[in-house]
């Protein structure tokens, strides 16, 4: 099971640094990991609607409408990092029903309530897949590399490692989602006697 320390050690592995025993230990590597951990996690979770951090919500319209441009605004939950899907009655909004994020709100002309699928902050790592830990660790390595007086090539190398981790993570996450959908479909077919 991943932890902040094990994710920090992913970053140390990429950077060629010594592993840490705890993210709270009194070492330069641990201090850097702790300093940039939340920023790296947020950046990594913004990349994709990871199943581990995915949530659904139904939102009511805010009492105050936008000053112009749209008829309604909807306050996003406080732990929302990024909405990836917006719909109504379980159907995604059409291109003729535009929406955008502005500050902490979704703006649209669609009447309440709306539904949102979003990536949210997580504080527990108990069920985090290792591929998400690898993505966060790779982004943490990018953050740390940018603070060191190294060469641009080391930063570019960390960015390339991060990009590969994201691509592999997305692939694994999609396979995981497809397996769940196939299991649900076969369960439905079995219940229907098909």
């Amino acid at each position: 099971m991943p932890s902040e320390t094990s994710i920090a050690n992913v970053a140390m592995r990429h950077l060629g640094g010594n592993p840490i025993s705890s993210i709270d230990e009194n070492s330069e590597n641990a201090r850097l990991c702790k300093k940039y951990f939340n920023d790296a996690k947020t950046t990594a979770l913004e990349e994709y609607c990871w199943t581990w951090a995915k949530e659904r919500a139904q939102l009511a319209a805010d009492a105050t409408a936008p000053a112009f441009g749209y008829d309604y605004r909807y306050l996003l939950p406080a732990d929302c990092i990024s909405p990836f899907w917006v719909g109504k009655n379980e159907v995604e909004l059409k291109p003729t029903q535009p929406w955008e994020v502005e500050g902490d709100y979704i703006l649209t002309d669609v009447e309440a309530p709306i539904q949102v699928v979003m990536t949210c902050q997580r504080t527990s790592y108990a069920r985090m897949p290792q591929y998400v830990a690898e993505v966060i660790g790779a982004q943490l390595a990018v953050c740390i590399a940018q603070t060191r007086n190294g060469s641009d090539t080391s930063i570019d190398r960390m960015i390339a490692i991060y990009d590969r981790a994201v691509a592999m993570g997305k692939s694994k996450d999609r396979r995981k989602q497809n397996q769940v959908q196939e299991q649900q479909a076969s369960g439905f077919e079995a219940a229907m006697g098909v």
Side-chain angles (χ1 to χ4, degrees):
M1 162 177 58
S3 65
E4 287 187 358
T5 299
S6 69
I7 293 168
N9 280 322
V10 169
M12 290 298 100
R13 183 181 74 227
H14 293 313
L15 292 164
N18 292 326
I20 60 174
S21 300
S22 168
I23 199 164
D24 294 314
E25 74 184 30
N26 188 19
S27 72
E28 181 65 18
N29 285 344
R31 282 191 294 277
L32 284 169
C33 288
K34 189 167 184 108
K35 181 177 181 177
Y36 295 108
F37 188 88
N38 287 331
D39 291 342
K41 182 174 81 166
T42 299
T43 298
L45 294 180
E46 285 175 333
E47 284 285 346
Y48 182 69
C49 196
W50 306 105
T51 54
W52 172 74
K54 183 162 82 171
E55 282 193 24
R56 296 166 187 264
Q58 185 162 293
L59 306 178
D62 192 67
T64 305
F68 61 90
Y70 291 99
D71 294 334
Y72 303 97
R73 74 179 190 172
Y74 299 86
L75 181 63
L76 289 162
D79 65 344
C80 175
I81 294 174
S82 188
F84 284 91
W85 182 94
V86 177
K88 177 134 178 112
N89 300 323
E90 299 182 23
V91 176
E92 185 172 13
L93 296 185
K94 299 174 186 144
T96 58
Q97 300 168 304
W99 61 275
E100 66 179 88
V101 176
E102 189 172 277
D104 295 331
Y105 295 91
I106 290 178
L107 307 181
T108 184
D109 291 330
V110 178
E111 291 182 14
I114 63 169
Q115 298 157 326
V116 179
V117 177
M118 61 200 153
T119 298
C120 294
Q121 285 288 0
R122 294 282 183 257
T123 54
S124 170
Y125 302 102
R127 296 178 192 260
M128 175 191 277
Q130 185 59 37
Y131 57 84
V132 176
E134 292 288 331
V135 173
I136 296 170
Q139 179 57 36
L140 183 56
V142 171
C143 293
I144 293 170
Q146 291 172 334
T147 66
R148 293 185 170 168
N149 290 330
S151 68
D152 288 342
T153 57
S154 65
I155 294 170
D156 291 343
R157 192 170 64 81
M158 291 306 114
I159 291 170
I161 288 169
Y162 174 69
D163 289 343
R164 281 194 307 273
V166 169
M168 288 174 46
K170 285 180 179 181
S171 176
K172 290 178 180 182
D173 206 63
R174 282 191 290 269
R175 278 197 306 266
K176 185 177 182 178
Q177 288 178 22
N178 290 341
Q179 288 170 348
V180 169
Q181 290 170 350
E182 288 170 8
Q183 289 171 351
Q184 289 172 340
S186 64
F188 175 76
E189 290 171 356
M192 298 302 292
V194 176

